[in-house]
Amino acid sequence: MKTVWQHDQWTWNGWWHVPDGPIEEVVIAFHGFGRGVEEMLAFLPLFNAQTAMLSVGLCHHNGSTPPPDGAQTSPLSPKVFQQALAAWTAELLPNGHPRIPQTMLGYSLGGRIAMALFENAPERWVRLVLLAPDGFKKNPMYQFAVETAFGRWTWRWCDRHADFVQSVIRACRRWRILPEHLAHFALHHTQDETMRKLVSNTWFTHQHFWPSRKKSSLAWQQAEGRGVVVDIVFGLRDAIIPWSWSKAWRTPSMGHVHFLTVDAGHVMRHPETVDDIKEAILVAHG
């Protein structure tokens, strides 16, 4: 069913799936950029049959909005989002129900959100599952556009001259300066005013949701003592978020953190790919 939650004037829309019978686990899921909340239900086979899922619409997606009295680019803090999720799931679960273990699942952009939340409060989660996750390497274009004054000015200029920018992207593709997948990606994300606004609003609102290798390592080490497992799955054919981006993060000494690959591109919701992910995780867990 559809569900809505408000906290500190932020509003999130989501889907709440419950199994037949008692709930043994709750998965809080975060979708990718420009995707719908319902897509995350495709990953339910990764969990046991008694799993409930709250698929959360990230801000600026699926009707989720920042506070109405602020800017559309108001930054959200991981602490505030963490508080909202805790209160939301407590409201959704049956009254008097004992505390149910909670797992985070993040795909693409949602993976970066999940990593940042895990860093913020690792004690709250019993498992972390990341699929084709953003967050392991900061895109230079993002750094330029969000973290520098000149970059922010340049983005506004590009928004006002979008036809020219698109023609430059196409020329770069013809001259083989840009590979085809990156040109397609850039054209898609600058195609019209609505999409460009979604890109910039999402970037600025979630600017504090960038994990660091040091903080994540500390959070993962803390989690090991509680039996928490981290599963991170990349597609070998993923040209958007390649497997190589995780190289600096792979720590052989952390046996409870599994970096895995499957034969897939960036899209992972297809049933056969979900089956491959499930098999890879089962093998890693022994």
Side-chain angles (χ1 to χ4, degrees), residues 90-268:
E91 180 71 18
L92 288 169
L93 290 169
N95 289 334
H97 206 290
R99 189 183 186 284
I100 297 173
Q102 294 191 9
T103 289
M104 262 195 301
L105 168 67
Y107 166 72
S108 194
L109 168 64
R112 170 158 69 87
I113 303 300
M115 288 176 71
L117 289 172
F118 194 86
E119 277 187 1
N120 179 259
E123 71 283 351
R124 186 171 180 272
W125 310 98
V126 299
R127 188 179 171 199
L128 178 63
V129 181
L130 306 173
L131 307 175
D134 190 15
F136 286 92
K137 182 178 180 180
K138 194 173 286 188
N139 186 309
M141 185 172 69
Y142 173 94
Q143 287 182 290
F144 176 66
V146 177
E147 299 178 359
T148 70
F150 182 61
R152 291 189 288 273
W153 177 88
T154 302
W155 180 265
R156 291 193 294 270
W157 185 91
C158 290
D159 189 36
R160 295 193 300 269
H161 302 85
D163 290 342
F164 171 74
V165 170
Q166 289 234 316
S167 68
V168 170
I169 294 170
R170 292 189 181 94
C172 287
R173 173 58 194 142
R174 286 195 304 273
W175 298 333
R176 305 195 177 202
I177 297 172
L178 278 179
E180 184 175 357
H181 71 275
L182 284 182
H184 176 78
F185 187 80
L187 289 170
H188 174 69
H189 288 85
T190 58
Q191 63 184 335
D192 54 42
E193 184 179 3
T194 300
M195 177 58 77
R196 293 192 299 274
K197 195 171 292 295
L198 179 61
V199 170
S200 60
N201 287 349
T202 301
W203 277 0
F204 283 103
T205 290
H206 298 99
Q207 62 187 279
H208 298 313
F209 288 79
W210 272 101
S212 74
R213 200 162 70 218
K214 181 178 179 180
K215 290 181 179 178
S216 281
S217 294
L218 289 173
W220 294 348
Q221 287 171 11
Q222 178 184 336
E224 184 177 17
R226 297 185 294 110
V228 174
V229 176
V230 179
D231 294 308
I232 306 166
V233 185
F234 286 82
L236 286 173
R237 293 183 282 104
D238 192 341
I240 305 302
I241 301 178
W243 163 243
S244 60
W245 283 13
S246 68
K247 183 177 180 180
W249 293 65
R250 298 175 218 154
T251 306
S253 61
M254 290 191 187
H256 65 299
V257 179
H258 307 134
F259 283 89
L260 310 170
T261 58
V262 294
D263 183 19
H266 192 62
V267 177
M268 289 189 164

